[in-house]
Coordinates of all heavy atoms in Angstrom, one line a residue:
M1 N -33.5 -153.2 -218.2 CA -34.3 -152.1 -217.9 C -34.6 -151.2 -219.1 O -35.1 -150.2 -218.9 CB -33.7 -151.3 -216.7 CG -33.9 -151.9 -215.4 SD -33.6 -150.9 -214.0 CE -34.2 -149.3 -214.4
S2 N -34.3 -151.6 -220.2 CA -34.5 -150.8 -221.3 C -35.9 -150.4 -221.6 O -36.2 -149.4 -222.2 CB -33.9 -151.5 -222.6 OG -34.5 -152.6 -222.9
A3 N -36.9 -151.2 -221.0 CA -38.3 -150.8 -221.3 C -38.8 -149.8 -220.2 O -39.9 -149.4 -220.3 CB -39.1 -152.1 -221.2
A4 N -38.0 -149.5 -219.3 CA -38.4 -148.6 -218.2 C -38.3 -147.2 -218.7 O -37.5 -146.8 -219.5 CB -37.4 -148.7 -217.0
P5 N -39.3 -146.3 -218.3 CA -39.3 -144.9 -218.7 C -38.1 -144.2 -218.2 O -37.5 -144.5 -217.1 CB -40.5 -144.3 -218.0 CG -41.4 -145.5 -217.7 CD -40.5 -146.7 -217.5
D6 N -37.6 -143.2 -218.9 CA -36.4 -142.5 -218.6 C -36.4 -141.8 -217.2 O -35.4 -141.8 -216.6 CB -36.1 -141.4 -219.6 CG -35.7 -142.0 -221.0 OD1 -35.3 -143.1 -221.0 OD2 -35.8 -141.2 -221.9
D7 N -37.6 -141.3 -216.7 CA -37.7 -140.7 -215.5 C -37.4 -141.7 -214.3 O -36.8 -141.4 -213.3 CB -39.0 -140.0 -215.3 CG -40.2 -140.9 -215.3 OD1 -40.2 -141.8 -216.1 OD2 -41.1 -140.6 -214.5
E8 N -37.9 -143.0 -214.5 CA -37.6 -144.0 -213.5 C -36.1 -144.3 -213.4 O -35.6 -144.5 -212.3 CB -38.5 -145.2 -213.7 CG -40.0 -145.0 -213.5 CD -40.7 -146.3 -213.7 OE1 -40.2 -147.4 -213.3 OE2 -41.9 -146.2 -214.2
I9 N -35.5 -144.5 -214.5 CA -34.1 -144.7 -214.6 C -33.3 -143.6 -214.0 O -32.4 -143.7 -213.2 CB -33.6 -145.0 -216.0 CG1 -34.2 -146.3 -216.5 CG2 -32.1 -145.1 -216.2 CD1 -34.1 -146.6 -218.0
R10 N -33.7 -142.3 -214.4 CA -33.0 -141.2 -213.8 C -33.1 -141.1 -212.3 O -32.1 -140.8 -211.6 CB -33.6 -139.9 -214.4 CG -32.9 -138.6 -214.1 CD -33.6 -137.4 -214.6 NE -34.7 -137.0 -213.8 CZ -36.0 -137.2 -214.3 NH1 -36.2 -137.7 -215.5 NH2 -37.0 -136.9 -213.5
K11 N -34.3 -141.5 -211.7 CA -34.4 -141.5 -210.2 C -33.5 -142.4 -209.6 O -32.8 -142.2 -208.6 CB -35.8 -141.8 -209.9 CG -36.8 -140.6 -210.1 CD -38.2 -141.0 -209.8 CE -39.2 -139.9 -210.1 NZ -40.6 -140.3 -209.8
V12 N -33.3 -143.7 -210.2 CA -32.4 -144.7 -209.6 C -31.0 -144.2 -209.8 O -30.2 -144.3 -208.8 CB -32.6 -146.0 -210.3 CG1 -31.5 -147.1 -209.9 CG2 -34.0 -146.6 -210.0
V13 N -30.6 -143.7 -210.9 CA -29.3 -143.1 -211.1 C -28.9 -142.1 -210.1 O -27.8 -142.1 -209.5 CB -29.0 -142.7 -212.6 CG1 -27.7 -141.9 -212.8 CG2 -29.1 -143.9 -213.5
N14 N -29.9 -141.2 -209.9 CA -29.7 -140.0 -209.0 C -29.5 -140.6 -207.5 O -28.6 -140.1 -206.7 CB -30.8 -139.1 -209.0 CG -30.8 -138.2 -210.2 OD1 -29.8 -138.0 -210.8 ND2 -31.9 -137.6 -210.5
R15 N -30.2 -141.7 -207.2 CA -30.1 -142.3 -205.8 C -28.7 -142.9 -205.7 O -28.0 -142.8 -204.6 CB -31.2 -143.3 -205.6 CG -31.2 -143.9 -204.3 CD -32.3 -145.0 -204.2 NE -33.7 -144.5 -204.4 CZ -34.5 -144.0 -203.4 NH1 -34.0 -144.0 -202.2 NH2 -35.6 -143.5 -203.7
L16 N -28.3 -143.6 -206.8 CA -26.9 -144.2 -206.7 C -25.8 -143.1 -206.7 O -24.8 -143.3 -206.0 CB -26.7 -145.1 -207.9 CG -27.5 -146.4 -207.9 CD1 -27.5 -147.1 -209.2 CD2 -27.1 -147.3 -206.7
K17 N -26.0 -142.0 -207.3 CA -25.0 -140.9 -207.3 C -24.9 -140.3 -205.9 O -23.8 -140.0 -205.3 CB -25.3 -139.8 -208.3 CG -25.0 -140.2 -209.7 CD -25.3 -139.2 -210.7 CE -25.0 -139.5 -212.1 NZ -25.3 -138.5 -213.1
R18 N -26.1 -140.2 -205.2 CA -26.1 -139.8 -203.8 C -25.4 -140.8 -202.9 O -24.6 -140.3 -202.0 CB -27.5 -139.5 -203.3 CG -28.1 -138.2 -203.8 CD -29.4 -137.9 -203.0 NE -30.4 -138.9 -203.0 CZ -31.3 -139.0 -204.0 NH1 -31.3 -138.2 -205.1 NH2 -32.2 -140.0 -204.0
A19 N -25.6 -142.0 -203.2 CA -24.9 -143.1 -202.3 C -23.4 -143.0 -202.6 O -22.6 -143.2 -201.6 CB -25.4 -144.5 -202.7
R20 N -23.0 -142.7 -203.8 CA -21.6 -142.6 -204.1 C -20.9 -141.4 -203.3 O -19.9 -141.5 -202.8 CB -21.4 -142.4 -205.6 CG -19.9 -142.2 -206.0 CD -19.7 -142.2 -207.5 NE -20.5 -141.2 -208.2 CZ -20.7 -141.1 -209.5 NH1 -20.0 -142.0 -210.3 NH2 -21.3 -140.1 -210.0
G21 N -21.7 -140.3 -203.3 CA -21.2 -139.2 -202.5 C -21.1 -139.5 -201.1 O -20.2 -139.1 -200.4
Q22 N -22.1 -140.2 -200.5 CA -22.1 -140.6 -199.2 C -20.8 -141.5 -198.8 O -20.1 -141.4 -197.8 CB -23.3 -141.3 -198.7 CG -24.5 -140.5 -198.6 CD -25.8 -141.2 -198.4 OE1 -26.1 -142.2 -199.1 NE2 -26.5 -140.9 -197.3
L23 N -20.6 -142.5 -199.8 CA -19.5 -143.3 -199.6 C -18.1 -142.6 -199.7 O -17.2 -142.9 -198.9 CB -19.5 -144.5 -200.7 CG -18.5 -145.6 -200.6 CD1 -18.5 -146.2 -199.3 CD2 -18.6 -146.6 -201.7
T24 N -18.0 -141.7 -200.6 CA -16.9 -140.8 -200.6 C -16.6 -140.1 -199.3 O -15.5 -140.0 -198.8 CB -16.9 -139.8 -201.8 OG1 -17.0 -140.5 -203.0 CG2 -15.7 -138.8 -201.7
A25 N -17.7 -139.6 -198.7 CA -17.6 -139.0 -197.4 C -17.2 -140.0 -196.3 O -16.4 -139.6 -195.4 CB -19.0 -138.4 -197.0
V26 N -17.6 -141.2 -196.4 CA -17.2 -142.2 -195.4 C -15.7 -142.5 -195.6 O -15.0 -142.5 -194.5 CB -18.0 -143.5 -195.6 CG1 -17.4 -144.6 -194.7 CG2 -19.5 -143.3 -195.2
I27 N -15.3 -142.6 -196.8 CA -13.8 -142.9 -197.0 C -13.0 -141.7 -196.5 O -12.0 -141.9 -195.8 CB -13.6 -143.1 -198.5 CG1 -14.2 -144.4 -198.9 CG2 -12.1 -143.1 -198.8 CD1 -14.3 -144.6 -200.5
D28 N -13.4 -140.5 -196.8 CA -12.7 -139.3 -196.2 C -12.8 -139.3 -194.8 O -11.7 -138.9 -194.2 CB -13.4 -138.0 -196.8 CG -13.2 -137.8 -198.3 OD1 -12.4 -138.5 -198.9 OD2 -14.0 -137.0 -198.9
A29 N -13.8 -139.6 -194.1 CA -13.9 -139.6 -192.7 C -13.0 -140.7 -192.1 O -12.3 -140.4 -191.1 CB -15.4 -140.0 -192.2
M30 N -12.9 -141.8 -192.7 CA -11.9 -142.9 -192.3 C -10.5 -142.4 -192.4 O -9.7 -142.6 -191.5 CB -12.2 -144.2 -193.1 CG -13.4 -144.9 -192.8 SD -13.6 -145.5 -191.2 CE -12.3 -146.6 -191.1
E31 N -10.2 -141.7 -193.5 CA -8.8 -141.3 -193.7 C -8.4 -140.1 -192.8 O -7.3 -139.9 -192.5 CB -8.6 -140.8 -195.2 CG -8.7 -142.0 -196.2 CD -8.7 -141.6 -197.6 OE1 -8.9 -140.4 -198.0 OE2 -8.3 -142.5 -198.5
T32 N -9.4 -139.4 -192.3 CA -9.1 -138.3 -191.4 C -9.4 -138.7 -189.9 O -9.5 -137.8 -189.0 CB -10.0 -137.1 -191.7 OG1 -11.3 -137.4 -191.6 CG2 -9.6 -136.6 -193.1
D33 N -9.5 -140.0 -189.6 CA -9.7 -140.5 -188.3 C -10.9 -139.9 -187.6 O -10.9 -139.5 -186.4 CB -8.4 -140.2 -187.5 CG -8.2 -141.2 -186.4 OD1 -8.8 -142.3 -186.4 OD2 -7.6 -140.8 -185.3
A34 N -12.0 -139.9 -188.3 CA -13.3 -139.4 -187.7 C -13.8 -140.4 -186.7 O -13.4 -141.6 -186.6 CB -14.3 -139.2 -188.8
D35 N -14.7 -139.9 -185.9 CA -15.3 -140.6 -184.9 C -16.0 -141.9 -185.4 O -16.8 -141.8 -186.4 CB -16.3 -139.8 -184.1 CG -17.0 -140.6 -182.9 OD1 -16.3 -140.7 -181.9 OD2 -18.2 -141.0 -183.2
C36 N -15.8 -143.1 -184.9 CA -16.3 -144.3 -185.4 C -17.8 -144.3 -185.4 O -18.4 -144.9 -186.3 CB -15.7 -145.5 -184.6 SG -16.3 -145.6 -182.9
R37 N -18.5 -143.7 -184.5 CA -19.9 -143.7 -184.5 C -20.4 -143.0 -185.7 O -21.4 -143.4 -186.4 CB -20.5 -143.0 -183.3 CG -20.3 -143.8 -182.0 CD -20.6 -143.0 -180.8 NE -19.6 -142.0 -180.6 CZ -19.1 -141.4 -179.5 NH1 -19.7 -141.9 -178.4 NH2 -18.2 -140.5 -179.5
D38 N -19.8 -141.8 -186.1 CA -20.2 -141.1 -187.3 C -20.0 -141.9 -188.6 O -20.8 -141.9 -189.4 CB -19.5 -139.8 -187.4 CG -19.8 -138.8 -186.3 OD1 -20.9 -138.9 -185.7 OD2 -19.0 -138.0 -185.9
V39 N -18.8 -142.6 -188.6 CA -18.6 -143.5 -189.8 C -19.6 -144.6 -189.9 O -20.1 -144.9 -191.0 CB -17.2 -144.1 -189.7 CG1 -16.9 -145.1 -190.7 CG2 -16.1 -142.9 -189.7
V40 N -20.0 -145.2 -188.8 CA -21.0 -146.3 -188.8 C -22.4 -145.8 -189.3 O -23.0 -146.5 -190.1 CB -21.0 -147.1 -187.5 CG1 -22.2 -148.0 -187.5 CG2 -19.7 -147.8 -187.2
I41 N -22.7 -144.6 -188.8 CA -24.0 -144.0 -189.2 C -24.0 -143.8 -190.7 O -25.0 -144.0 -191.4 CB -24.3 -142.8 -188.3 CG1 -24.6 -143.2 -186.9 CG2 -25.4 -142.0 -189.0 CD1 -24.6 -142.0 -185.9
Q42 N -22.9 -143.2 -191.2 CA -22.8 -142.9 -192.7 C -22.8 -144.2 -193.5 O -23.4 -144.3 -194.5 CB -21.6 -142.0 -192.9 CG -21.8 -140.6 -192.5 CD -23.1 -139.9 -193.1 OE1 -23.2 -140.1 -194.3 NE2 -23.8 -139.3 -192.2
L43 N -22.1 -145.3 -193.0 CA -22.1 -146.5 -193.7 C -23.5 -147.1 -193.8 O -23.9 -147.6 -194.8 CB -21.2 -147.5 -193.0 CG -19.7 -147.4 -193.3 CD1 -18.9 -148.4 -192.4 CD2 -19.4 -147.7 -194.8
A44 N -24.2 -147.0 -192.7 CA -25.6 -147.5 -192.7 C -26.4 -146.7 -193.7 O -27.2 -147.3 -194.4 CB -26.2 -147.4 -191.3
A45 N -26.3 -145.4 -193.8 CA -27.0 -144.6 -194.8 C -26.6 -145.0 -196.2 O -27.5 -145.1 -197.1 CB -26.7 -143.1 -194.6
V46 N -25.3 -145.2 -196.5 CA -24.9 -145.7 -197.8 C -25.6 -147.0 -198.2 O -26.1 -147.2 -199.2 CB -23.3 -145.9 -197.9 CG1 -22.9 -146.6 -199.2 CG2 -22.7 -144.5 -197.8
G47 N -25.6 -148.0 -197.2 CA -26.1 -149.3 -197.5 C -27.6 -149.2 -197.7 O -28.2 -149.8 -198.6
K48 N -28.3 -148.4 -197.0 CA -29.8 -148.2 -197.2 C -30.0 -147.6 -198.5 O -31.0 -148.0 -199.3 CB -30.3 -147.3 -196.1 CG -31.8 -147.3 -196.1 CD -32.4 -146.6 -194.8 CE -32.4 -147.6 -193.7 NZ -33.1 -147.0 -192.5
A49 N -29.2 -146.6 -199.0 CA -29.4 -145.9 -200.2 C -29.2 -146.9 -201.4 O -30.0 -146.9 -202.4 CB -28.5 -144.7 -200.4
I50 N -28.2 -147.8 -201.3 CA -28.0 -148.8 -202.3 C -29.1 -149.8 -202.3 O -29.6 -150.2 -203.4 CB -26.6 -149.5 -202.1 CG1 -25.6 -148.4 -202.4 CG2 -26.4 -150.7 -203.0 CD1 -24.2 -148.8 -202.1
D51 N -29.5 -150.3 -201.1 CA -30.7 -151.2 -201.1 C -31.9 -150.6 -201.8 O -32.6 -151.3 -202.6 CB -31.0 -151.6 -199.7 CG -29.9 -152.5 -199.0 OD1 -29.2 -153.1 -199.8 OD2 -29.9 -152.7 -197.9
R52 N -32.2 -149.3 -201.5 CA -33.4 -148.7 -202.0 C -33.3 -148.6 -203.5 O -34.2 -148.8 -204.3 CB -33.6 -147.3 -201.4 CG -34.1 -147.4 -200.0 CD -34.5 -146.1 -199.4 NE -35.0 -146.2 -198.1 CZ -35.1 -145.2 -197.3 NH1 -34.7 -144.0 -197.7 NH2 -35.6 -145.4 -196.1
A53 N -32.1 -148.3 -204.1 CA -31.9 -148.3 -205.5 C -32.1 -149.7 -206.1 O -32.8 -149.8 -207.1 CB -30.5 -147.8 -205.8
G54 N -31.7 -150.7 -205.4 CA -31.9 -152.1 -205.9 C -33.4 -152.4 -205.9 O -33.9 -153.0 -206.9
F55 N -34.1 -152.0 -204.9 CA -35.5 -152.3 -204.8 C -36.3 -151.5 -205.9 O -37.2 -152.0 -206.6 CB -36.1 -152.0 -203.5 CG -35.7 -152.9 -202.4 CD1 -35.2 -152.5 -201.2 CD2 -35.9 -154.3 -202.5 CE1 -34.8 -153.3 -200.2 CE2 -35.5 -155.2 -201.5 CZ -35.0 -154.7 -200.3
A56 N -35.8 -150.3 -206.2 CA -36.4 -149.5 -207.3 C -36.2 -150.2 -208.6 O -37.1 -150.2 -209.5 CB -35.8 -148.1 -207.3
V57 N -35.0 -150.7 -208.8 CA -34.7 -151.4 -210.1 C -35.7 -152.6 -210.3 O -36.2 -152.9 -211.3 CB -33.2 -151.9 -210.2 CG1 -33.0 -152.9 -211.3 CG2 -32.3 -150.7 -210.3
I58 N -35.8 -153.4 -209.1 CA -36.7 -154.6 -209.2 C -38.1 -154.1 -209.4 O -38.9 -154.7 -210.2 CB -36.5 -155.4 -207.9 CG1 -35.2 -156.0 -207.9 CG2 -37.7 -156.5 -207.9 CD1 -34.8 -156.7 -206.6
G59 N -38.6 -153.1 -208.7 CA -39.9 -152.6 -208.9 C -40.2 -152.1 -210.3 O -41.3 -152.4 -210.9
T60 N -39.2 -151.4 -210.9 CA -39.3 -151.0 -212.3 C -39.5 -152.2 -213.2 O -40.3 -152.2 -214.1 CB -38.1 -150.1 -212.7 OG1 -38.1 -149.0 -211.9 CG2 -38.2 -149.7 -214.1
A61 N -38.7 -153.2 -212.9 CA -38.7 -154.5 -213.8 C -40.1 -155.1 -213.7 O -40.6 -155.6 -214.6 CB -37.6 -155.4 -213.4
L62 N -40.6 -155.1 -212.4 CA -41.9 -155.7 -212.2 C -43.0 -155.0 -213.1 O -43.9 -155.6 -213.6 CB -42.3 -155.7 -210.8 CG -41.6 -156.7 -209.9 CD1 -41.9 -156.4 -208.4 CD2 -42.1 -158.2 -210.2
R63 N -42.9 -153.7 -213.1 CA -43.9 -152.9 -213.9 C -43.7 -153.0 -215.3 O -44.7 -152.8 -216.1 CB -43.9 -151.5 -213.4 CG -44.5 -151.3 -212.1 CD -44.7 -149.8 -211.7 NE -43.4 -149.1 -211.7 CZ -42.6 -149.1 -210.7 NH1 -42.8 -149.8 -209.6 NH2 -41.4 -148.3 -210.8
H64 N -42.5 -153.1 -215.8 CA -42.3 -152.9 -217.3 C -41.7 -154.1 -218.1 O -41.7 -154.0 -219.3 CB -41.3 -151.7 -217.4 CG -41.9 -150.5 -216.9 ND1 -42.9 -149.7 -217.5 CD2 -41.6 -149.8 -215.7 CE1 -43.2 -148.7 -216.8 NE2 -42.4 -148.7 -215.7
C65 N -41.1 -155.1 -217.4 CA -40.5 -156.1 -218.3 C -40.5 -157.5 -217.8 O -39.7 -158.3 -218.0 CB -39.1 -155.7 -218.6 SG -38.0 -155.5 -217.1
V66 N -41.5 -157.9 -217.0 CA -41.6 -159.2 -216.5 C -42.0 -160.2 -217.7 O -42.9 -159.8 -218.5 CB -42.7 -159.4 -215.3 CG1 -42.9 -160.8 -215.0 CG2 -42.2 -158.5 -214.2
A67 N -41.4 -161.3 -217.8 CA -41.6 -162.2 -218.8 C -42.5 -163.3 -218.4 O -42.2 -164.5 -218.6 CB -40.3 -162.8 -219.3
D68 N -43.7 -163.0 -217.9 CA -44.7 -164.0 -217.6 C -45.9 -163.8 -218.5 O -46.3 -162.6 -218.6 CB -45.0 -164.1 -216.1 CG -43.9 -164.7 -215.3 OD1 -43.1 -165.5 -215.8 OD2 -44.0 -164.5 -214.0
G69 N -46.5 -164.8 -219.0 CA -47.7 -164.6 -219.8 C -47.5 -164.5 -221.3 O -46.3 -164.5 -221.7
E70 N -48.5 -164.3 -222.0 CA -48.4 -164.3 -223.5 C -47.8 -163.0 -224.0 O -47.2 -163.0 -225.1 CB -49.8 -164.3 -224.0 CG -50.5 -165.7 -223.8 CD -51.9 -165.8 -224.4 OE1 -52.2 -164.9 -225.2 OE2 -52.7 -166.6 -223.9
D71 N -47.8 -161.9 -223.3 CA -47.2 -160.6 -223.7 C -45.8 -160.5 -223.3 O -45.2 -159.3 -223.4 CB -48.0 -159.5 -223.3 CG -49.5 -159.5 -223.8 OD1 -49.6 -160.0 -224.9 OD2 -50.4 -159.0 -223.1
A72 N -45.1 -161.5 -223.0 CA -43.7 -161.5 -222.4 C -42.8 -161.0 -223.5 O -42.8 -161.4 -224.7 CB -43.3 -162.8 -221.9
R73 N -41.9 -160.1 -223.0 CA -40.8 -159.6 -223.9 C -39.7 -160.7 -223.9 O -39.4 -161.2 -222.9 CB -40.2 -158.3 -223.4 CG -41.0 -157.1 -223.7 CD -40.2 -155.8 -223.4 NE -39.3 -156.0 -222.2 CZ -38.0 -155.8 -222.3 NH1 -37.3 -155.6 -223.4 NH2 -37.3 -155.9 -221.1
E74 N -39.0 -160.8 -225.0 CA -38.0 -161.8 -225.1 C -36.8 -161.3 -224.3 O -36.4 -160.2 -224.4 CB -37.5 -161.9 -226.6 CG -36.5 -163.0 -226.8 CD -36.0 -163.2 -228.2 OE1 -36.9 -162.9 -229.1 OE2 -34.9 -163.5 -228.5
G75 N -36.3 -162.2 -223.4 CA -35.1 -161.9 -222.7 C -35.4 -161.2 -221.3 O -34.6 -160.9 -220.5
A76 N -36.7 -160.9 -221.1 CA -37.1 -160.2 -219.9 C -37.0 -161.2 -218.8 O -37.2 -162.4 -218.9 CB -38.5 -159.6 -220.0
P77 N -36.8 -160.6 -217.5 CA -36.7 -161.6 -216.4 C -38.1 -162.1 -216.0 O -39.1 -161.4 -216.2 CB -36.3 -160.6 -215.2 CG -36.6 -159.3 -215.6 CD -36.6 -159.2 -217.2
T78 N -38.1 -163.4 -215.5 CA -39.3 -164.0 -215.1 C -39.6 -163.5 -213.7 O -38.8 -162.9 -213.0 CB -39.2 -165.5 -215.1 OG1 -38.2 -165.9 -214.2 CG2 -38.9 -166.0 -216.5
M79 N -40.9 -163.7 -213.2 CA -41.2 -163.4 -211.9 C -40.3 -164.1 -210.9 O -39.8 -163.5 -209.9 CB -42.7 -163.7 -211.7 CG -43.2 -163.2 -210.3 SD -43.1 -161.4 -210.1 CE -44.5 -160.9 -211.2
E80 N -40.0 -165.4 -211.2 CA -39.1 -166.1 -210.3 C -37.7 -165.5 -210.2 O -37.1 -165.4 -209.1 CB -39.0 -167.6 -210.8 CG -38.1 -168.5 -209.9 CD -38.1 -169.9 -210.4 OE1 -39.1 -170.4 -210.9 OE2 -37.0 -170.5 -210.2
E81 N -37.2 -165.0 -211.4 CA -35.9 -164.4 -211.3 C -35.9 -163.1 -210.5 O -35.0 -162.8 -209.7 CB -35.4 -164.1 -212.7 CG -35.0 -165.3 -213.5 CD -34.8 -165.0 -215.0 OE1 -35.6 -164.2 -215.6 OE2 -33.8 -165.5 -215.5
L82 N -37.0 -162.3 -210.7 CA -37.1 -161.1 -209.9 C -37.3 -161.4 -208.4 O -36.7 -160.6 -207.6 CB -38.3 -160.3 -210.4 CG -38.1 -159.6 -211.8 CD1 -39.4 -159.0 -212.3 CD2 -37.0 -158.6 -211.8
Q83 N -37.9 -162.4 -208.1 CA -38.1 -162.7 -206.6 C -36.7 -163.1 -206.1 O -36.4 -162.7 -205.0 CB -39.0 -164.0 -206.4 CG -40.5 -163.6 -206.7 CD -41.4 -164.8 -206.7 OE1 -40.9 -165.9 -206.9 NE2 -42.7 -164.5 -206.5
K84 N -35.9 -163.8 -206.8 CA -34.5 -164.1 -206.4 C -33.7 -162.9 -206.2 O -33.0 -162.8 -205.2 CB -33.8 -165.2 -207.3 CG -34.4 -166.5 -207.2 CD -33.7 -167.5 -208.2 CE -34.3 -168.9 -208.1 NZ -33.6 -169.8 -209.1
L85 N -33.8 -162.0 -207.1 CA -33.1 -160.7 -207.0 C -33.5 -159.9 -205.8 O -32.7 -159.4 -205.1 CB -33.3 -159.9 -208.3 CG -32.6 -160.3 -209.6 CD1 -33.1 -159.6 -210.7 CD2 -31.1 -160.3 -209.4
F86 N -34.8 -159.9 -205.6 CA -35.4 -159.2 -204.4 C -34.8 -159.8 -203.1 O -34.4 -159.1 -202.2 CB -36.9 -159.4 -204.4 CG -37.6 -158.7 -203.3 CD1 -37.8 -157.3 -203.3 CD2 -37.9 -159.4 -202.1 CE1 -38.4 -156.7 -202.2 CE2 -38.5 -158.8 -201.1 CZ -38.7 -157.4 -201.1
L87 N -34.7 -161.1 -203.0 CA -34.2 -161.8 -201.8 C -32.7 -161.5 -201.7 O -32.3 -161.5 -200.5 CB -34.5 -163.3 -201.9 CG -36.0 -163.6 -201.7 CD1 -36.2 -165.1 -201.9 CD2 -36.5 -163.1 -200.4
T88 N -32.0 -161.3 -202.7 CA -30.6 -161.0 -202.5 C -30.4 -159.6 -201.8 O -29.4 -159.4 -201.2 CB -29.8 -161.0 -203.9 OG1 -30.3 -159.9 -204.7 CG2 -29.8 -162.3 -204.6
L89 N -31.4 -158.8 -201.9 CA -31.4 -157.5 -201.3 C -31.9 -157.5 -199.8 O -31.7 -156.6 -199.0 CB -32.1 -156.4 -202.1 CG -31.5 -156.0 -203.4 CD1 -32.4 -155.1 -204.1 CD2 -30.1 -155.4 -203.2
A90 N -32.8 -158.5 -199.6 CA -33.5 -158.6 -198.3 C -32.6 -159.1 -197.2 O -31.6 -159.7 -197.4 CB -34.7 -159.4 -198.4

């Protein structure tokens, strides 16, 4: 992702930090014997936040570093590789 603009990277990092905070809250809730419904709702939120971060990473790669065509950067992911990555999140 080195070819991605700093603001795009910052947004993904911020999303992951929020997910980390949510996960910490889930762990704390489990340790304090919180209601299972609340825990499951928070776990779903953590999963969704991480998935969205993954999709953002793939989207950034699609815009900035795909290695198809004559202008391909060396070592950049191909469209096929990005499709496989996308499917791992789907």
Side-chain angles (χ1 to χ4, degrees):
M1 279 199 32
S2 60
D6 289 342
D7 63 321
E8 290 185 35
I9 293 171
R10 187 183 73 254
K11 287 178 184 177
V12 172
V13 169
N14 286 341
R15 187 181 297 270
L16 289 170
K17 286 180 179 180
R18 282 193 303 275
R20 179 174 55 191
Q22 289 174 308
L23 184 57
T24 297
V26 169
I27 293 167
D28 292 345
M30 292 294 299
E31 291 177 341
T32 60
D33 203 26
D35 183 76
C36 66
R37 291 171 290 212
D38 295 335
V39 171
V40 170
I41 289 168
Q42 287 303 313
L43 277 173
V46 170
K48 190 173 275 191
I50 291 171
D51 287 346
R52 286 183 179 167
F55 289 129
V57 168
I58 292 168
T60 298
L62 283 171
R63 285 189 301 280
H64 299 287
C65 62
V66 173
D68 285 342
E70 293 178 18
D71 297 330
R73 279 188 329 113
E74 185 177 332
T78 63
M79 188 62 77
E80 183 178 325
E81 289 172 318
L82 289 171
Q83 288 172 342
K84 286 179 182 178
L85 289 172
F86 179 83
L87 290 173
T88 63
L89 294 173

